[in-house]
Short mmCIF file of all heavy atoms in Angstrom, two decimals:
data_model
loop_
_atom_site.label_atom_id
_atom_site.label_comp_id
_atom_site.label_asym_id
_atom_site.label_seq_id
_atom_site.Cartn_x
_atom_site.Cartn_y
_atom_site.Cartn_z
N VAL A 349 -12.05 -1.31 -25.29
CA VAL A 349 -12.63 -2.43 -24.86
C VAL A 349 -11.70 -3.09 -23.70
O VAL A 349 -10.58 -3.32 -24.09
CB VAL A 349 -12.87 -3.45 -26.03
CG1 VAL A 349 -13.46 -4.75 -25.45
CG2 VAL A 349 -13.85 -2.83 -27.05
N SER A 350 -12.43 -3.43 -22.63
CA SER A 350 -11.56 -4.17 -21.61
C SER A 350 -12.21 -5.57 -21.64
O SER A 350 -13.43 -5.78 -21.58
CB SER A 350 -11.89 -3.49 -20.19
OG SER A 350 -11.31 -4.21 -19.19
N TYR A 351 -11.27 -6.55 -21.52
CA TYR A 351 -11.81 -7.91 -21.67
C TYR A 351 -11.07 -8.76 -20.62
O TYR A 351 -9.84 -8.58 -20.23
CB TYR A 351 -11.52 -8.52 -23.06
CG TYR A 351 -10.17 -8.79 -23.39
CD1 TYR A 351 -9.50 -9.96 -23.18
CD2 TYR A 351 -9.36 -7.71 -24.09
CE1 TYR A 351 -8.12 -10.21 -23.52
CE2 TYR A 351 -8.06 -7.93 -24.40
CZ TYR A 351 -7.49 -9.16 -24.20
OH TYR A 351 -6.14 -9.29 -24.55
N SER A 352 -11.59 -9.95 -20.31
CA SER A 352 -11.05 -10.96 -19.35
C SER A 352 -11.69 -12.20 -19.56
O SER A 352 -12.87 -12.37 -19.66
CB SER A 352 -11.17 -10.46 -17.88
OG SER A 352 -10.67 -11.40 -17.10
N PHE A 353 -10.92 -13.36 -19.71
CA PHE A 353 -11.44 -14.75 -19.72
C PHE A 353 -10.61 -15.56 -18.61
O PHE A 353 -9.39 -15.41 -18.59
CB PHE A 353 -11.24 -15.32 -21.09
CG PHE A 353 -11.82 -14.47 -22.24
CD1 PHE A 353 -10.91 -13.66 -22.91
CD2 PHE A 353 -13.15 -14.61 -22.59
CE1 PHE A 353 -11.47 -12.95 -23.98
CE2 PHE A 353 -13.69 -13.94 -23.63
CZ PHE A 353 -12.80 -13.08 -24.44
N SER A 354 -11.29 -16.40 -17.91
CA SER A 354 -10.65 -17.14 -16.84
C SER A 354 -10.84 -18.70 -17.23
O SER A 354 -11.82 -19.13 -17.73
CB SER A 354 -11.46 -16.97 -15.49
OG SER A 354 -11.07 -15.71 -15.03
N ARG A 398 -5.78 -16.60 -16.37
CA ARG A 398 -6.67 -15.67 -17.00
C ARG A 398 -5.91 -15.00 -18.24
O ARG A 398 -4.72 -14.74 -18.18
CB ARG A 398 -7.04 -14.43 -16.06
CG ARG A 398 -8.27 -14.77 -15.12
CD ARG A 398 -8.71 -13.45 -14.56
NE ARG A 398 -7.69 -12.54 -13.93
CZ ARG A 398 -7.96 -11.27 -13.84
NH1 ARG A 398 -9.00 -10.66 -14.31
NH2 ARG A 398 -6.96 -10.58 -13.28
N LEU A 399 -6.72 -14.65 -19.28
CA LEU A 399 -6.31 -13.71 -20.33
C LEU A 399 -7.03 -12.50 -20.19
O LEU A 399 -8.35 -12.49 -20.06
CB LEU A 399 -6.65 -14.46 -21.65
CG LEU A 399 -6.13 -15.90 -21.95
CD1 LEU A 399 -6.56 -16.35 -23.28
CD2 LEU A 399 -4.59 -15.98 -21.74
N GLY A 401 -6.88 -7.92 -20.85
CA GLY A 401 -6.13 -6.77 -21.58
C GLY A 401 -7.29 -5.68 -22.23
O GLY A 401 -8.34 -5.71 -21.65
N PHE A 410 -14.21 -6.71 -31.56
CA PHE A 410 -13.51 -7.65 -30.65
C PHE A 410 -14.27 -8.98 -30.62
O PHE A 410 -13.58 -10.07 -30.71
CB PHE A 410 -13.39 -7.05 -29.24
CG PHE A 410 -12.75 -7.95 -28.33
CD1 PHE A 410 -11.22 -7.91 -28.20
CD2 PHE A 410 -13.41 -8.88 -27.50
CE1 PHE A 410 -10.63 -8.79 -27.35
CE2 PHE A 410 -12.67 -9.78 -26.63
CZ PHE A 410 -11.30 -9.63 -26.55
N ARG A 411 -15.50 -8.90 -30.52
CA ARG A 411 -16.39 -10.14 -30.48
C ARG A 411 -16.35 -11.00 -31.76
O ARG A 411 -16.26 -12.20 -31.64
CB ARG A 411 -17.82 -9.84 -30.15
CG ARG A 411 -18.06 -9.42 -28.65
CD ARG A 411 -19.60 -9.25 -28.41
NE ARG A 411 -19.85 -8.90 -26.98
CZ ARG A 411 -19.90 -9.64 -25.96
NH1 ARG A 411 -19.65 -11.05 -26.21
NH2 ARG A 411 -20.09 -9.27 -24.74
N GLY A 428 -19.49 -17.49 -16.12
CA GLY A 428 -19.68 -16.25 -15.33
C GLY A 428 -18.43 -15.42 -15.07
O GLY A 428 -18.53 -14.44 -14.43
N GLN A 429 -17.28 -15.80 -15.65
CA GLN A 429 -16.09 -15.08 -15.46
C GLN A 429 -15.53 -14.38 -16.74
O GLN A 429 -14.39 -14.02 -16.74
CB GLN A 429 -14.97 -16.13 -14.96
CG GLN A 429 -15.24 -16.80 -13.62
CD GLN A 429 -15.51 -15.79 -12.56
OE1 GLN A 429 -14.62 -14.88 -12.30
NE2 GLN A 429 -16.73 -15.85 -11.77
N THR A 430 -16.32 -14.17 -17.68
CA THR A 430 -15.92 -13.51 -18.90
C THR A 430 -16.41 -12.00 -18.88
O THR A 430 -17.64 -11.85 -18.52
CB THR A 430 -16.51 -14.22 -20.18
OG1 THR A 430 -15.83 -15.55 -20.29
CG2 THR A 430 -16.29 -13.47 -21.33
N LYS A 431 -15.64 -11.20 -19.44
CA LYS A 431 -15.91 -9.75 -19.33
C LYS A 431 -15.51 -9.16 -20.71
O LYS A 431 -14.30 -9.29 -21.10
CB LYS A 431 -15.25 -8.94 -18.27
CG LYS A 431 -15.60 -7.54 -18.24
CD LYS A 431 -14.84 -6.84 -17.18
CE LYS A 431 -13.39 -6.55 -17.55
NZ LYS A 431 -12.71 -5.69 -16.63
N ILE A 432 -16.40 -8.52 -21.41
CA ILE A 432 -16.04 -7.72 -22.64
C ILE A 432 -16.88 -6.54 -22.48
O ILE A 432 -18.11 -6.58 -22.74
CB ILE A 432 -16.41 -8.47 -23.97
CG1 ILE A 432 -15.76 -9.82 -23.95
CG2 ILE A 432 -16.04 -7.72 -25.11
CD1 ILE A 432 -16.12 -10.68 -25.12
N GLU A 433 -16.19 -5.34 -22.23
CA GLU A 433 -16.92 -4.16 -21.94
C GLU A 433 -16.24 -2.85 -22.59
O GLU A 433 -15.00 -2.95 -22.65
CB GLU A 433 -16.97 -3.85 -20.37
CG GLU A 433 -17.81 -4.87 -19.61
CD GLU A 433 -17.72 -4.71 -18.15
OE1 GLU A 433 -16.93 -3.82 -17.69
OE2 GLU A 433 -18.40 -5.48 -17.52
N HIS A 435 -15.26 1.05 -22.30
CA HIS A 435 -15.24 2.16 -21.25
C HIS A 435 -14.65 3.38 -21.86
O HIS A 435 -13.79 3.25 -22.81
CB HIS A 435 -14.34 1.65 -20.08
CG HIS A 435 -14.84 0.36 -19.44
ND1 HIS A 435 -16.11 0.35 -18.77
CD2 HIS A 435 -14.23 -0.69 -19.22
CE1 HIS A 435 -16.15 -0.93 -18.35
NE2 HIS A 435 -15.08 -1.67 -18.52
N GLU A 443 -10.46 0.72 -14.28
CA GLU A 443 -10.70 -0.69 -14.33
C GLU A 443 -9.38 -1.46 -14.24
O GLU A 443 -9.34 -2.60 -13.64
CB GLU A 443 -11.32 -1.01 -15.74
CG GLU A 443 -12.78 -0.65 -15.79
CD GLU A 443 -13.63 -1.60 -14.96
OE1 GLU A 443 -13.47 -2.84 -15.12
OE2 GLU A 443 -14.51 -1.17 -14.29
N ILE A 444 -8.33 -0.96 -14.79
CA ILE A 444 -6.99 -1.70 -14.78
C ILE A 444 -6.13 -1.30 -13.62
O ILE A 444 -4.97 -2.00 -13.47
CB ILE A 444 -6.22 -1.53 -16.08
CG1 ILE A 444 -5.88 -0.16 -16.37
CG2 ILE A 444 -7.09 -2.16 -17.22
CD1 ILE A 444 -5.05 0.02 -17.60
#
Side-chain angles (χ1 to χ4, degrees):
V349 175
S350 175
Y351 69 90
S352 175
F353 304 99
S354 293
R398 278 198 307 154
L399 307 180
F410 184 84
R411 287 186 179 276
Q429 297 300 309
T430 293
K431 179 184 77 171
I432 304 173
E433 299 173 348
H435 300 301
E443 284 288 313
I444 61 178

